[in-house]
Amino acid sequence: MRFGWRLATLGFVFTGLLSVLFVRLWFVQLAEGALYAAAAESSTIATESQIAPRGDIVDANGIPLATSRSELVVVVDRAVLTDEAEDQVVSRLSAILEVGPIVIRSELERAGSGEIAFVSDLEITADMAYTVLEQRLDLPGVTIEALPERLYLEGSLMAHVLGHIGFPSSADLERNPDLDPNVVVGKLGVEREYDAFLQGTPGLVRYTINAQGDILDQVDASDPLQGDTLWLTIDSVTQQVVEKILVDVVVLAQDRKDENEPADARTLPTERATALVMRVDTGEIIAMASYPSFEPQAFVGGIGEDEYATLSEAFAFNNLAIQGLKPPASAFKAVTYITAMMENISPRDTTSVEQTIECSAQLKADFVDDSQLVYQNWTRASDGLQNIHDAFRRSCNIYFWELALSIWRDYKGTDNEDILQDWAAVLGFGRRTQVDLPFETAGILPDRELFDEWQVTQPWRVREEGWLGGDLMNLAVGQGSILVTPIQMATAYAAMVNGGTVYQPQVVDKIVDANGEIVRDFGPRPLRTPEIDPAVVTSLLADMGSVVRTSGTAAAAFTGLDGLELQMGGKTGTAQGFTDAEGLRHAATAWFAGVAPISNPEFVVVVMVDEGGSGGAVAAPAAARILTHLLGGSPAPLVAGEETD
């Protein structure tokens, strides 16, 4: 009986609970169903992307060069603004930020309609930010956020290597529609080349908002993750030394013009130069400088049109180390030297490069085609009996022209006609070195096939007869149609003195993520391994050493180095000047390619001065100071060397 009473009581309780639940369900679904449905329809899930800090860039020793810092930015959600409300926002922000409404409007329109706009090209003070927040009821869709800003810590140091950032252009967005127009991308240098690593991972915040744009609740969130860190191969101390020497060598070259030319001479000024240092056995770039330069920081806040135009007119954005195309002049004679030694080619009436010929004032060729018949040596006088070693030391054009004549007479019309070009190509000329920087140029390595192609595609560049013996003679001394970049010169010289390994030049050593884990480690990358006899390498090094001593063409530039010149070697080059159609005189391009220590080469240094004049007088002294620094000495003030080829 008692059990039955308890069971009945329990039944009444369950019945009551079910009744309450039923009534509540009826109330929600029928009585207030329309209200809940309206609320659900009026709220949506919104996703907001949070910009990730861009990854750092550090030098070979971990010294920071580029990083990110927080910056106050006005953010406008155009999706919640009517046209009338947007006009009100533009007007109020213009007054608060103290800029014209056109500036605010252009910033909003850059993001597009219905998108989040970042007014990021303006400096927002704490007072401005407070005022915006204080007036947010009259500024619908407007907030203040702290966003990462790029900061270049060393001014213009290695600007061409670092590059700069900027918002995606229309071409960028067309090429990659997934780009966020409000997130900066790399535009030049490693900032562009490694942009995917530097970008980082954006954070995401998801929340519900009502029809008025008010945030109702946060659903979930993920923090932004900073981009990876680039460790460069470049040593910032050496870079500073090289950049200072570049400024000095431009001044030196211009001073020599001012002293030696009439005041009314119509000669282009010396305004551009470049230098780089490469490790012989790895291809790592220790320093790379190009003058004139620019300030990467100027692009962070948006560079002015006038400033940009001025820099563009001065070709300040051109990295001459990888884009400066010039005839290599006598610096190319090292390639002709290697070809002759490896292929057993010697001047006419000799059977060995060890035999001497007269380095006369001029050479008369017996071509039966339309080639030039008389060639003048740079000395304009006889320079005595010389073999290949003497000719390299004194840069005797006659000797190297004779080598070209031997190739032409023995191999014209055969597969070996291009034997010099074949060696030049395998050493890296006429092709990109594949350095990890954007916009590298390939240069020109001329031969019969290229001239035949030009006759069809660019007939103004070649004569009707096509490739002639005189063209090969020009090539043998680095003149004529050949155009090379300084980085090609450095790559080739490194291969010639390391025994024949052509390395891919590299400015980034490794990439490390935010947790300190190595994402990518760039070891040495051999591209080709032409076999060069060790005896030939030894011979070339000895002759490069003689260039900077005794009566070599760079001897005067390598004096007063406290004996360090005994550990150095190199080759001068002076590309011929000319007068253009407007009567403007273009001075010669000054070159020097050097190595140190000469007994066991570790570094290759290449200096090129556009409109610089003599390689021995201008480029060689600059290279001597750079080599002095690399060997632990203190570079002396720059003074001119001797006027040589």
Side-chain angles (χ1 to χ4, degrees), residues 242-511:
V242 171
E243 291 194 12
K244 172 63 168 60
I245 290 172
L246 271 195
V247 174
D248 292 344
V249 77
V250 168
V251 172
L252 173 67
Q254 186 57 49
D255 285 348
R256 294 181 73 253
K257 286 182 180 178
D258 294 340
E259 292 172 2
N260 300 323
E261 295 184 355
D264 59 349
R266 299 188 64 209
T267 303
L268 288 177
T270 304
E271 297 176 328
R272 306 170 68 204
T274 185
L276 69 151
V277 181
M278 177 188 289
R279 288 196 185 277
V280 166
D281 287 330
T282 64
E284 293 174 311
I285 304 297
I286 307 303
M288 177 184 287
S290 185
Y291 179 88
S293 189
F294 62 93
E295 291 275 354
Q297 196 67 39
F299 290 85
V300 174
I303 192 170
E305 291 184 6
D306 291 343
E307 183 181 358
Y308 184 84
T310 299
L311 290 170
S312 295
E313 289 172 4
F315 300 100
F317 302 123
N318 286 27
N319 184 351
L320 297 179
I322 66 172
Q323 296 173 302
L325 287 173
K326 294 292 179 178
S330 292
F332 186 80
K333 287 175 180 174
V335 180
T336 309
Y337 180 108
I338 290 288
T339 304
M341 298 280 275
M342 290 298 299
E343 304 296 341
N344 194 28
I345 298 168
S346 61
R348 57 185 168 181
D349 301 326
T350 68
T351 57
S352 167
V353 292
E354 302 297 333
Q355 292 179 255
T356 61
I357 64 170
E358 179 68 27
C359 183
S360 56
Q362 65 180 26
L363 179 147
K364 294 183 179 180
D366 55 356
F367 291 118
V368 294
D369 53 34
D370 285 343
S371 295
Q372 180 179 330
L373 299 180
V374 178
Y375 297 79
Q376 299 286 342
N377 191 33
W378 70 271
T379 60
R380 296 295 192 271
S382 176
D383 205 22
L385 293 171
Q386 297 182 7
N387 59 19
I388 195 170
H389 311 292
D390 303 315
F392 192 86
R393 172 175 52 85
R394 294 291 300 152
S395 200
C396 176
N397 290 333
I398 303 298
Y399 190 95
F400 287 90
W401 282 328
E402 285 282 7
L403 293 176
L405 283 173
S406 292
I407 294 174
W408 186 253
R409 289 166 180 152
D410 293 344
Y411 299 128
K412 176 185 175 183
T414 72
D415 292 340
N416 281 338
E417 180 184 284
D418 293 338
I419 196 168
L420 177 56
Q421 291 95 324
D422 291 342
W423 272 101
V426 77
L427 289 170
F429 294 105
R431 65 175 76 185
R432 293 178 178 86
T433 65
Q434 301 180 44
V435 63
D436 52 338
L437 288 170
F439 310 123
E440 181 189 10
T441 51
I444 295 174
L445 182 59
D447 58 11
R448 185 183 297 276
E449 182 179 356
L450 180 61
F451 271 42
D452 289 345
E453 177 185 327
W454 280 352
Q455 283 183 316
V456 176
T457 61
Q458 304 176 61
W460 53 270
R461 300 192 69 160
V462 292
R463 68 183 74 81
E464 186 177 347
E465 294 80 11
W467 180 255
L468 301 176
D471 298 309
L472 182 60
M473 290 181 67
N474 282 334
L475 176 62
V477 296
Q479 301 282 9
S481 299
I482 183 173
L483 294 175
V484 310
T485 61
I487 198 168
Q488 288 175 333
M489 188 76 77
T491 301
Y493 266 81
M496 286 187 285
V497 301
N498 73 21
T501 302
V502 180
Y503 287 101
Q504 176 182 335
Q506 200 77 22
V507 298
V508 173
D509 177 48
K510 60 185 175 182
I511 302 175

Side-chain angles (χ1 to χ4, degrees), residues 103-187:
V103 176
I104 303 295
R105 179 73 68 184
S106 64
E107 285 286 286
L108 298 186
E109 291 179 350
R110 181 163 52 82
S113 61
E115 297 181 1
I116 302 293
F118 297 91
V119 185
S120 56
D121 285 350
L122 303 176
E123 182 177 351
I124 310 300
T125 66
D127 288 341
M128 290 176 179
Y130 179 80
T131 303
V132 170
L133 294 175
E134 189 179 46
Q135 299 184 18
R136 56 188 169 184
L137 292 178
D138 297 317
L139 293 169
V142 179
T143 59
I144 295 287
E145 292 185 13
L147 298 181
E149 178 193 52
R150 201 60 162 161
L151 180 63
Y152 295 94
L153 302 168
E154 297 293 338
S156 63
L157 186 70
M158 67 182 86
H160 293 93
V161 174
L162 295 178
H164 64 83
I165 49 89
F167 288 104
S169 64
S170 56
D172 294 329
L173 294 171
E174 184 177 344
R175 185 168 54 251
N176 183 2
D178 294 332
L179 288 176
D180 186 337
N182 293 301
V183 177
V184 296
V185 295
K187 293 287 191 175

Side-chain angles (χ1 to χ4, degrees), residues 194 197 228-231 508-513 517-522:
Y194 292 94
F197 293 94
D228 298 328
T229 296
L230 300 185
W231 282 71
V508 173
D509 177 48
K510 60 185 175 182
I511 302 175
V512 179
D513 66 17
E517 299 293 328
I518 295 178
V519 176
R520 185 171 296 182
D521 196 355
F522 299 96

Side-chain angles (χ1 to χ4, degrees), residues 544-550 552-573 591-596 598 605-607 615-631 636-642 644:
M544 290 177 71
S546 71
V547 168
V548 305
R549 293 189 290 278
T550 60
T553 54
F558 282 75
T559 57
L561 304 183
D562 297 328
L564 288 177
E565 68 276 7
L566 299 177
Q567 302 180 49
M568 304 174 187
K571 182 69 189 80
T572 54
W591 286 91
F592 190 85
V595 301
I598 199 70
V605 171
V606 172
V607 175
V618 174
R625 272 60 181 177
I626 296 172
L627 289 166
T628 297
H629 165 76
L630 293 170
L631 293 176
L638 196 65
V639 294
E642 184 183 358
T644 60

